[in-house]
Amino acid sequence: MRLDRVHTRRLPLAAAVLLTGLVLAACSDPLSTIEPKSDATQTVQNVYVIVFWLAAVVFVGVLGATLILSIWFRERPGRVASQFHGNTRLEIVWTLLPVVILVAIFIPTATAIVDLEPDPDDLPPGTVHVEAIGHQWWFEFRYPDLGIVTANEMHVPVDRPVYVTLRSEDVIHSFWIPQLVGKVDMVPGRENAVIFTPNEARDEAYLGQCVEFCGTSHANMRFRVFVDGQADFDAWVEAQLAPPVAAETLSELAQEGAALFQNPILALGVTPCVGCHTVKGTPAVGLIGPDLTHVASRSTLFAGIRDGFASSEDPERVQRELERWISDPDDIKPGVTVRENGMPAWGEHLTSEQITALVAYLRELQ
Amino acid sequence: MAQAAHAAEAPHSSTGIDSRKVLMWIFLASECLFFGSLIATYLVFKGDIPLPAPGFIEAHMHDGVVTGWFPTDRVVDGVEYAGVLNIPVTSASTFVLLMSSVAMVLAVYGAQNGRLKMMKIWLLATLLLGIIFLGFQVFEFHEFGAEGLNLATNQFGASFFVLTGFHGAHVTVGVLMLGSMLLASMRRTGLGPEAGFHVETIGLYWHFVDIVWIVIFTVVYLVPA
Amino acid sequence: MATAAGTLAAPAVQAPSGIWAWLTTVDHKRIGTLYGVSGMVFFVVAGIEALLIRSQLAVPNGEVVDADLFNALFSMHALTMIFLGVMPLGAAFFNWLVPLMIGARDVAFPRLNALSYWIFLSGALMLNASWLLGGAPDTGWFAYAPLTENTYSTGRSMDFYTVSLIILGTSSLIASLNFIVTIINLRAPGMTMFRLPVFVWMTMIVAWLLVLSLPVLTVGLIQLYFDRNFTTNFFIPDGGGDPVLWQHIFWIFGHPEVYVLILPAMGIVSEVLPTFSRKPLFGYGAVVFAGISIAILGFAVWSHHMFTTGLGPVPRVVFSATTMTIAVPTGVKIFNWLGTLYGGSIRFTTAMYFAVGFIATFTVGGISGVMHASPPIDTQQQDTYFIVAHLHYVLFGGAIMGIFAGVYYWFPKFTGRFLSEGMGKLHFWLFFIGLNVTFFPMHFLGVSGMPRRIYTYDAGLGWETWNFVATLGAFTIAAGMAVFLWNFFRSMREEPSAPDNPWDAPTLEWATSSPPPEHDFDVVPVVRARDPVWYDRDHGIAPPEPDPHEHIHLPPPSYYPLLIGVGFTLIGIGALSHLALVALGAVVVIYGIWGWTLEPTGAEPAAGGH
Amino acid sequence: MSAEGGHAAGSHERSHPTVRQYVLIGLLLTVITIVELAASYTPGLGVLLIPILMVLSGIKFVIVVAYFMHLRFEKALLTRLFVFGFVLAGAILISLLALFWGDPAVINR
C-alpha cells in the first residue's frame, strides 16, 4: 500500500526534525521564550523542560503507535479482524498512566506558581519598584522611588529584584518581556504585579510587547528593557533626573519649536502639545501622552516600532519619521488619531516648517 | 377521562415520559444557568457598592437623607442613606406570585381531571395574579427611578434591574401563554385531548418562574449586604 | 386565529415541491442538508478570511490588508468558523444521523428542528451583514471588555456581535433541547442507552453542553448590549464595573464550547474506525464515560483561559489541576481508538485516512494543551502563536478532520452516491500536509515570542521563515478544499448507485436504503445488540418485511418555523436599529407560535409543543 | 404518551395531591415566607441570618418543585435532568463568587 511507504519514510524523520526544530528554533531570537535571562523565566523554563520531554515522549509514542498499528493491521489477503470489545486491565493502565504523567507536571507547576508570586508586603531588599501603565498603544513607566517618568523604555539594574506593578488607563493590555518575565495582564480597575531579577547585563535591549489584543494598533505596542550594570543604571537615573534642556541653550529652530510646543492654543478646537505631554521645567505638564522630557535619549519612538535618536545610525531619517508622525500619526500607527485622547494629525493645522521646528525641539530633548 | 380518546395514536416514547415534558424540564435546567449568571453578577457587585459622587448626594438629598443609592438603610461618613428596597411592598408581590402558583396547580388539577370549568377559573386566577405581580414590578421600578436609582446609577442598579427585569420578562411570557391557553379553551371546538399536557407544561414554566422569584426575594431583598 | 390556522395548513395536504419544499420542510434529513450546505459555505468564507490573514503575515510588514481590516478578519474568521462553520456542520450530522442511528422516523420535534435552522440562518446572515453595515466585529471572538464598550468600539460592530450571537445561541439551544429529547425518548425497541452508537452519545453530550453553557453567554451578551445601549456599566471600570467579570462569563461558556466543536468529530471517528477496522470499538463504555467526564470537567476549567489575568495563586493552582485532569479522559479516548485499530483488518478508504489522520493531529493538539495547562508555562505561551498552533491542531486537526471523515463515510448514505476515492485521498493528503505545514511552524513562532492578533511584525525577530512556510501551508489546505468541492460536484452529477450498506458498517443508518426514504425505515428496526447490523448479519436475522397495511405517519410540512425565524430576524434587526421593529418581530413570533400550536399535525402529538 | 397525560393519576405509583393538599401546601409556603420576613427583621441574628434564609428558601424551592411541579410523582429521570442543571448553576455561581470575593487585585470599583 501507498500509505506505509509514504509514512515510514516521512514520519520518523519529520518527528526528529520538528522536535529539534522546536528546541533550536527560538534560541537567539530576541523574543525567545526559552532563553531565560532572569530568575523568573528560569523558573518557568525548569517546568517547561520537564513538560517538554514528557510531551515529546507521548508525541513519539502515540504517533508511532498510530503509524505502526495502521501498517501492521492493514487489510491483507487472509487477515480476519479479531472481534473483541476491550480489555479492562489495559484500560485501567492507560487511565492511570496519564495520571502519573500529570502529577509529574503538576507538582513543579504548583511550586513554580507559588515561587513566581510577588509578595508586595515583603519585597526583597534592594528591590527596584517600577509602575508600568498600559495605554492604547504605548507603555508608561514610572519609578516612584526615583521620581522618573518615561515611556516605552525601561532601565533596570542587573542582579537586583525588579518589582513591576501593572495598571491600565484604558483597555486590557498585557506586559511581557519573554526573556525576563512571563506575561501578566494590565487590567483597568485592577493592579497586578510581577517580580523578576535579571541576571545578564547587556547593551542590546530585551524586547517586550503587549500581548493582549487592545485595538487597532495592538501590533504596534512594544517596549524595550535595558538591563544595565549598577554603574550604568545609576548614570541613566542621573540623566533622567537631570534638569531638561534649558531654553537658552536650544538652537534657534528648536526655540521656535519650543514656542509652538508650549503654545496653549496651537490650533482651534485641537488639544495642543502641552495638553497631553509633559516636558519637565516647561509649561508642558499634560498627562495623557508620553512624557517627552528626555525623548531624544530613548532608543525607540512610537512605542518601540522605530529607532529613536539615541540608537539610529541615521538621525535625519528619525527626523523625517518624527515629522511624518506629527503630521499624520495614523500613517505610522493606525488608529492613533481615532481613539479617545488620540494624537491629532497636525499636518492639517500646521505648516511643514512649523512641524520641522517642533521636531528640532524634540530632537534636542536629550 | 376526557382525554383518553386519543390513546390509539400515542407517540413513541422510550422512557414513558411525554417528550414535551422532558423538553420543558431540560429547558428549565438551562434557565437555572441563565438566572444563576444574573444572580451571580448581582452578588459580585453587591458586596462593595462604592459611595456616590458628591453630585449624586446633592441631587438626591431629601430631608437630609440620600435616596436611590444603597439597597438598604445605612449611615456612612455621617451621611444618612435611605435604602431603595421596599420590603413590605415586595413581600406583598411575593405573596401574590406564590398564590398564583397555587392557582396554577389547581388549574393543572382541573385540566388533568377533565374539570374544564375548574381549569378555566384557575387559569384566569393565575393570569390575574401574574398581571398583579407585574403591576407591582412596574410600580417598584417607577419608585426606584424616582428615588434616583436607574441602570446607570451604580452596579447595584444595573444588576438589580437586569435581574428582576428579565424575571419580569419571563413572567410576561408566562402571562402570554396563560392568556393564549385561556383563549384557546374558550373556542367553540374546545381544547382537544391535549389540554392536560399544555396546561401542565405551562404550569411547569410558571412554577419555575415562581421558584426563581423565591431565590431572588431571598438573595436580593432579605439577605443583607 | 383558528380560521387562519385552518387555511394556512393547506400546504400540508398536497406535498410542496421545489424551493417551497425546502422552506417548509420538517424532515430531519433535509434540515441536515440545509445545515450541511450552510456550514460548508461559511467554512469556505472563513477559509478565505484565513487566507487573507496568512497572506498579510507571509512576509514582515505585509501590506495586503490594513490594521482595521486585519483585526476584523481574524475576529470574523474565528466567529465564522466556530458558530457558522463547525457548529452547523456538526448539526448537519446530528440531524441526518441521530434519528437514523437510533431507529426513529424523525426527531422528537420536527418543526422545532426546522425553526432552529431558520434562526441559525438569520443569525448567520446578520453577523456577516456587519461587513456591509457599519463594520464587522474586530475585537476578537472573545470580545474582551472594555475594548468592546462604546468608548473604544464606536460604530455598530459590537452590537452586531451581541445580537447575532444571542440569535445563534437561541438556535443552538432549541436544536440541543430537541436532540436530547430525541435521544432520550425516540430510541427503537431494544436500543438501550448503552447500545447507542458513540456518535449519538457525543451528540447528546454536546447538546447538554450547549443547553447549560449558552445561557451564561446570553447573560454576558445581554450585559454587554446593555452597557453599549442602555447606560449600564457592567464591564466598564470607570463606572464601577469589572472587565474580568466578562472574561469569566465568556469562558464559562467558551470552554464548554471548545468541546462542542470537538466532541462531534470524536463521535464520527468512533464510528469510522470500527467499520473500517472490521471490529467493534475498543472499550465502548470507557469512550462514552470519557466523553461524559470531558463534558463535566469542561465546566470546571474555564479560568485556564485567564491564567495571566491576575487571579491570584490559589485559583491558578486549582484551575491548573482541573485542566490537567481533562487530559486523562482525552487520553483514554485516544488509546481506545488505537485499541480499535489493534487486531483489525483495516480498509484504508478516504474516510479512514481522515479518521487516522485525526488521531495523529488531534493528539498533537492535546499534548500542546497540557503544556499551557501549567500556568507558569502559560505565561510564556498565552496569546502567542503557540496557542494558535494548539487550537488549530484541535479544531482543524481534530474537528475538521473528523468532519471530513464523516463526509466521506456517510456521503453514500446521504446522497446515494460515492465521492471519488482517488480525489478523496488527494484531498486528504493536501489537508494533512497543509495543516501540518501551516500549524506546526506556529509552535516555533510561538516559542520565538510572536504574539497572536498582530497585523504586522518587523524583520529580524526570527519569524520570517516560519511565517512564510505557514502561508504556503494555508494555500495547500485551500487546494485540498478545491479538490473536495470538485469531487462533490462531480459526484452529484452521477446517478445514485450506492447500496444500503457499502462499507459493511454496524449501525442502524445502514439498515435502510441509500439515501433513506422520507420515513427513514419501512419497519422500525428491533435492536438486539450494540452493533445491530453486524449482530443481525452474524446471526442470520433477515430484515423484517414491511407491513403493507401500516400507515406511516409523517409530520406535514409547515411554514411556521420559517415565519418565526423571520420574526427573530426582525427582532434582531430591531435591536440594531429601532426598538419598534423588535415589537413587530415579537408580534410575528407570537403569531407564528399561535399558528404553530393550532396547526394540525395529523395525530402525532410528539410533533407539537412550544 | 397518553397514559401520562390522559390518566394523570392512574399511571403513577404515588398519587398526586388533592385540592385540599395543594391549598395546605400554599399555606405552608406563605408561613415560611412570613418566617423569613420575621427573621430578616429580627435584630441580633447576625451572621446566622443568611444560613437561616438560605435554608428556608431552599425548603420553599423544594416544596414547589416536588409538589407543584409534580417532580416527586414523576420518574426519576426528570429529577436528574433538572437537578443536573441546578447543581451546575449553583456550583458555578459559588465558584465565581469565591473568585471575586477573594480577589485582592481590584483597586477601584
Side-chain angles (χ1 to χ4, degrees):
Chain A
M1 288 206 65
R2 200 176 46 166
L3 178 81
D4 45 331
R5 267 189 286 115
V6 178
H7 262 130
T8 35
R9 262 191 285 118
R10 187 175 285 126
L11 264 187
L13 180 68
V17 169
L18 294 180
L19 282 174
T20 40
L22 199 55
V23 180
L24 297 175
C27 280
S28 78
D29 288 339
L31 284 142
S32 171
T33 61
I34 51 169
E35 203 179 357
K37 299 287 184 191
S38 80
D39 64 335
T41 43
Q42 187 60 52
T43 304
V44 175
Q45 179 79 350
N46 295 343
V47 184
Y48 179 74
V49 168
I50 299 170
V51 176
F52 177 84
W53 286 113
L54 286 172
V57 170
V58 176
F59 178 90
V60 173
V62 174
L63 265 59
T66 311
L67 182 63
I68 290 166
L69 291 172
S70 304
I71 296 166
W72 206 325
F73 293 104
R74 74 186 187 279
E75 179 177 51
R76 267 182 287 203
R79 177 188 287 286
V80 179
S82 20
Q83 304 295 311
F84 54 89
H85 286 89
N87 179 325
T88 312
R89 193 181 302 166
L90 206 56
E91 286 173 57
I92 290 171
V93 167
W94 68 43
T95 308
L96 292 181
L97 198 67
V99 174
V100 173
I101 296 179
L102 290 170
V103 170
I105 295 174
F106 179 72
I107 291 169
T109 291
T111 319
I113 291 174
V114 176
D115 287 351
L116 291 168
E117 193 67 15
D119 180 357
D121 301 322
D122 185 24
L123 295 172
T127 301
V128 180
H129 182 191
V130 186
E131 293 174 3
I133 302 162
H135 301 258
Q136 269 183 329
W137 293 283
W138 59 282
F139 289 89
E140 178 176 356
F141 297 111
R142 296 167 167 267
Y143 294 69
D145 305 332
L146 301 170
I148 295 172
V149 179
T150 181
N152 304 322
E153 195 164 301
M154 206 169 108
H155 283 250
V156 294
V158 70
D159 292 333
R160 271 174 65 186
V162 183
Y163 175 67
V164 189
T165 53
L166 307 169
R167 287 191 281 132
S168 167
E169 277 295 302
D170 36 49
V171 302
I172 300 177
H173 303 281
S174 194
F175 179 86
W176 187 34
I177 316 156
Q179 297 185 342
L180 296 180
V181 65
K183 69 184 69 63
V184 173
D185 292 353
M186 309 167 113
V187 184
R190 287 171 175 253
E191 183 171 283
N192 290 327
V194 293
I195 191 163
F196 61 96
T197 307
N199 53 27
E200 188 181 300
R202 67 184 194 201
D203 290 340
E204 191 196 340
Y206 292 89
L207 301 191
Q209 59 200 347
C210 176
V211 273
E212 184 62 80
F213 183 69
C214 58
T216 309
S217 261
H218 165 59
N220 295 321
M221 185 169 167
R222 310 172 199 161
F223 65 104
R224 290 185 180 203
V225 180
F226 290 89
V227 177
D228 303 326
Q230 188 63 45
D232 288 345
F233 179 70
D234 291 341
W236 177 77
V237 170
E238 201 178 326
Q240 292 294 304
L241 290 175
V245 191
E248 52 279 11
T249 61
L250 290 171
S251 71
E252 200 177 320
L253 189 60
Q255 284 190 11
E256 195 184 313
L260 283 166
F261 193 90
Q262 290 156 15
N263 184 348
I265 36 169
L266 201 48
L268 276 182
V270 188
T271 317
C273 307
V274 291
C276 297
H277 296 284
T278 292
V279 176
K280 282 194 195 113
T282 77
V285 289
L287 294 173
I288 290 166
D291 185 308
L292 299 178
T293 309
H294 296 286
V295 63
S297 73
R298 295 184 194 147
S299 66
T300 65
L301 290 173
F302 326 128
I305 59 176
R306 294 283 195 282
D307 284 342
F309 288 111
S311 65
S312 177
E313 314 268 294
D314 180 4
E316 292 316 311
R317 209 186 124 193
V318 181
Q319 166 96 23
R320 283 196 303 278
E321 278 189 340
L322 200 47
E323 285 171 12
R324 197 169 124 223
W325 168 263
I326 293 173
S327 153
D328 182 14
D330 273 346
D331 193 31
I332 292 177
K333 199 190 271 186
V336 80
T337 61
V338 187
R339 71 164 165 82
E340 224 197 19
N341 296 327
M343 169 92 183
W346 285 106
E348 298 163 19
H349 306 286
L350 301 179
T351 64
S352 58
E353 289 77 17
Q354 286 175 307
I355 291 175
T356 308
L358 270 172
V359 176
Y361 170 58
L362 295 175
R363 193 172 167 175
E364 293 186 27
L365 293 177
Q366 287 290 341
Chain B
M1 305 281 157
Q3 292 90 345
H6 74 295
E9 270 290 355
H12 180 74
S13 165
S14 316
T15 56
I17 312 171
D18 185 272
S19 291
R20 281 160 296 177
K21 204 186 265 183
V22 180
L23 179 101
M24 183 49 92
W25 275 105
I26 302 169
F27 174 67
L28 296 182
S30 171
E31 288 279 86
C32 285
L33 273 293
F34 182 83
F35 283 106
S37 308
L38 288 171
I39 292 171
T41 306
Y42 176 84
L43 288 176
V44 162
F45 290 122
K46 183 176 184 173
D48 47 1
I49 305 163
L51 289 178
F56 184 90
I57 296 180
E58 263 171 46
H60 299 279
M61 176 87 88
H62 306 288
D63 306 328
V65 180
V66 181
T67 62
W69 187 265
F70 285 115
T72 47
D73 295 348
R74 70 178 73 171
V75 180
V76 192
D77 297 340
V79 184
E80 207 179 317
Y81 296 89
V84 173
L85 301 177
N86 187 337
I87 309 267
V89 168
T90 314
S91 304
S93 75
T94 304
F95 179 72
V96 166
L97 199 59
L98 210 55
M99 287 306 108
S100 82
S101 252
V102 178
M104 186 74 230
V105 88
L106 295 177
V108 175
Y109 184 91
Q112 288 183 336
N113 291 281
R115 293 162 66 175
L116 227 61
K117 195 170 170 203
M118 176 183 181
M119 180 197 86
K120 283 187 207 172
I121 290 171
W122 288 110
L123 270 183
L124 185 66
T126 316
L127 177 74
L128 291 177
L129 288 166
I131 292 173
I132 293 171
F133 176 83
L134 287 174
F136 267 110
Q137 192 163 38
V138 171
F139 168 78
E140 189 183 38
F141 278 23
H142 185 261
E143 282 294 294
F144 291 4
E147 287 176 26
L149 187 75
N150 55 44
L151 285 170
T153 306
N154 57 20
Q155 299 321 103
F156 164 63
S159 52
F160 172 84
F161 282 118
V162 172
L163 168 59
T164 56
F166 271 90
H167 178 266
H170 277 72
V171 176
T172 310
V173 170
V175 164
L176 283 175
M177 293 200 295
L178 288 168
S180 310
M181 197 65 220
L182 204 56
L183 274 178
S185 70
M186 306 277 182
R187 282 194 307 162
R188 194 162 38 82
T189 49
L191 257 183
E194 287 295 301
F197 253 116
H198 286 150
V199 178
E200 192 185 355
T201 314
I202 294 173
L204 288 179
Y205 176 85
W206 189 263
H207 295 308
F208 179 77
V209 172
D210 183 31
I211 56 177
V212 169
W213 187 256
I214 288 176
V215 176
I216 291 179
F217 182 62
T218 308
V219 169
V220 175
Y221 290 86
L222 296 183
V223 170
Chain C
M1 285 297 176
T3 48
T7 48
L8 293 181
V13 182
Q14 67 260 122
S17 56
I19 183 95
W20 201 237
W22 287 95
L23 292 177
T24 61
T25 185
V26 295
D27 179 354
H28 70 97
K29 298 176 288 298
R30 286 194 162 210
I31 293 168
T33 304
L34 287 173
Y35 267 116
V37 171
S38 316
M40 276 297 171
V41 168
F42 285 113
F43 177 68
V44 170
V45 170
I48 292 168
E49 285 159 0
L51 290 180
L52 283 168
I53 293 170
R54 279 314 324 160
S55 306
Q56 164 74 4
L57 295 177
V59 292
N61 301 312
E63 287 187 348
V64 177
V65 294
D66 66 16
D68 281 318
L69 181 56
F70 183 89
N71 296 337
L73 281 172
F74 81 68
S75 306
M76 285 298 284
H77 166 71
L79 289 167
T80 309
M81 275 294 181
I82 292 166
F83 292 102
L84 315 182
V86 175
M87 279 175 77
L89 285 170
F93 285 103
F94 301 162
N95 267 292
W96 254 101
L97 294 169
V98 166
L100 288 168
M101 282 180 154
I102 63 174
R105 291 211 159 117
D106 207 319
V107 292
F109 304 95
R111 288 183 298 175
L112 220 47
N113 202 19
L115 175 62
S116 79
Y117 174 75
W118 296 117
I119 297 179
F120 157 76
L121 190 66
S122 155
L125 294 177
M126 200 171 296
L127 184 59
N128 276 285
S130 65
W131 283 114
L132 307 172
L133 308 165
D138 56 358
T139 56
W141 83 290
F142 50 93
Y144 273 8
L147 184 60
T148 51
E149 301 283 3
N150 282 332
T151 318
Y152 307 106
S153 199
T154 52
R156 286 311 240 165
S157 63
M158 289 320 293
D159 295 314
F160 272 100
Y161 172 90
T162 51
V163 172
S164 51
L165 253 52
I166 289 175
I167 291 178
L168 289 166
T170 310
S171 156
S172 298
L173 180 70
I174 292 173
S176 305
L177 292 170
N178 205 346
F179 282 114
I180 299 173
V181 178
T182 304
I183 296 167
I184 290 180
N185 246 359
L186 296 196
R187 283 167 284 128
M191 179 61 90
T192 61
M193 291 304 272
F194 284 94
R195 284 179 185 167
L196 286 177
V198 172
F199 178 77
V200 177
W201 264 110
M202 295 306 134
T203 306
M204 182 147 92
I205 293 168
V206 165
W208 270 107
L209 284 170
L210 285 168
V211 161
L212 298 176
S213 67
L214 282 169
V216 183
L217 175 70
T218 306
V219 166
L221 294 169
I222 287 170
Q223 289 167 338
L224 179 57
Y225 184 82
F226 268 62
D227 272 6
R228 293 181 55 84
N229 295 282
F230 299 127
T231 70
T232 58
N233 294 297
F234 284 108
F235 310 124
I236 304 173
D238 292 344
D242 193 338
V244 174
L245 178 63
W246 165 266
Q247 299 189 8
H248 282 295
I249 288 178
F250 184 83
W251 290 116
I252 289 173
F253 154 79
H255 199 79
E257 172 70 15
V258 174
Y259 299 125
V260 166
L261 300 174
I262 187 67
L263 285 173
M266 290 180 165
I268 290 171
V269 168
S270 303
E271 301 302 327
V272 173
L273 289 173
T275 296
F276 295 116
S277 304
R278 295 184 166 118
K279 59 192 279 287
L281 183 70
F282 190 95
Y284 170 92
V287 173
V288 169
F289 278 112
I292 296 172
S293 335
I294 289 176
I296 292 173
L297 284 169
F299 278 101
V301 300
W302 77 85
S303 284
H304 69 213
H305 297 267
M306 301 161 62
F307 279 153
T308 64
T309 306
L311 291 180
V314 177
R316 272 182 286 159
V317 170
V318 171
F319 279 103
S320 167
T322 54
T323 303
M324 288 181 187
T325 313
I326 282 200
V328 176
T330 312
V332 166
K333 283 199 174 231
I334 291 172
F335 294 137
N336 279 299
W337 291 324
L338 294 180
T340 306
L341 295 179
Y342 182 87
S345 169
I346 305 170
R347 277 173 73 190
F348 272 102
T349 60
T350 307
M352 193 62 176
Y353 271 47
F354 275 100
V356 174
F358 166 95
I359 300 179
T361 46
F362 176 74
T363 302
V364 176
I367 292 172
S368 56
V370 173
M371 288 183 162
H372 32 260
S374 168
I377 298 178
D378 191 55
T379 64
Q380 293 286 36
Q381 295 183 343
Q382 167 76 341
D383 279 324
T384 69
Y385 263 82
F386 198 91
I387 305 286
V388 182
H390 158 71
L391 78 92
H392 282 96
Y393 265 94
V394 174
L395 294 184
F396 198 109
I400 298 291
M401 294 294 271
I403 281 169
F404 276 103
V407 168
Y408 282 92
Y409 180 55
W410 281 295
F411 199 79
K413 182 53 66 185
F414 294 166
T415 65
R417 300 165 172 88
F418 286 100
L419 288 166
S420 148
E421 283 287 301
M423 284 166 79
K425 283 171 184 168
L426 176 63
H427 172 202
F428 168 78
W429 285 115
L430 287 170
F431 259 36
F432 187 77
I433 294 168
L435 96 88
N436 283 300
V437 170
T438 310
F439 301 119
F440 209 92
M442 290 186 185
H443 292 113
F444 306 149
L445 289 171
V447 170
S448 295
M450 178 165 169
R452 298 171 75 172
R453 307 177 182 121
I454 55 170
Y455 76 95
T456 187
Y457 59 93
D458 278 348
L461 299 170
W463 302 342
E464 295 94 325
T465 317
W466 293 122
N467 266 307
F468 189 75
V469 170
T471 302
L472 291 182
F475 281 92
T476 314
I477 294 172
M481 193 60 197
V483 170
F484 168 74
L485 290 175
W486 175 256
N487 196 356
F488 173 81
F489 286 113
R490 189 201 56 79
S491 161
M492 288 310 283
R493 277 204 307 273
E494 284 177 3
E495 283 302 306
S497 65
D500 290 1
N501 191 358
W503 316 120
D504 188 20
T507 39
L508 275 186
E509 75 273 26
W510 304 103
T512 186
S513 62
S514 301
E518 204 189 343
H519 51 276
D520 288 1
F521 297 98
D522 292 337
V523 179
V524 171
V526 175
V527 178
R528 296 175 187 85
R530 189 174 289 150
D531 291 322
V533 175
W534 284 353
Y535 183 89
D536 288 3
R537 176 196 67 190
D538 296 343
H539 292 76
I541 301 171
E545 286 301 315
D547 172 4
H549 302 297
E550 192 202 11
H551 165 70
I552 298 174
H553 173 80
L554 284 177
S558 168
Y559 69 74
Y560 286 110
L562 180 60
L563 183 69
I564 298 173
V566 170
F568 268 91
T569 315
L570 285 174
I571 292 176
I573 296 173
L576 290 166
S577 54
H578 198 283
L579 291 180
L581 265 181
V582 174
L584 179 65
V587 170
V588 173
V589 170
I590 291 170
Y591 173 80
I593 293 175
W594 260 85
W596 170 310
T597 322
L598 299 174
E599 185 176 42
T601 56
E604 187 161 58
H610 65 115
Chain D
M1 229 169 179
S2 67
E4 309 296 308
H7 316 267
S11 63
H12 296 295
E13 294 150 27
R14 282 165 293 206
S15 58
H16 284 188
T18 60
V19 173
R20 196 180 127 83
Q21 283 166 324
Y22 279 134
V23 174
L24 282 176
I25 294 169
L27 268 177
L28 178 64
L29 291 172
T30 314
V31 170
I32 297 177
T33 310
I34 292 169
V35 173
E36 279 188 304
L37 266 176
S40 75
Y41 277 105
T42 310
L45 281 177
V47 281
L48 267 183
L49 177 61
I50 294 178
I52 290 176
L53 288 174
M54 286 298 161
V55 169
L56 287 176
S57 64
I59 294 173
K60 285 204 287 184
F61 190 102
V62 171
I63 291 177
V64 174
V65 174
Y67 290 93
F68 283 5
M69 297 169 86
H70 297 161
L71 208 48
R72 200 173 118 77
F73 313 103
E74 303 277 6
K75 297 201 171 174
L77 174 71
L78 289 185
T79 311
R80 274 187 233 131
L81 297 179
F82 179 69
V83 168
F84 187 46
F86 182 76
V87 168
L88 183 70
I92 289 178
L93 191 151
I94 290 166
S95 34
L96 204 52
L97 292 181
L99 282 168
F100 274 90
W101 288 350
D103 191 339
V106 182
I107 51 178
N108 64 356
R109 190 187 272 164

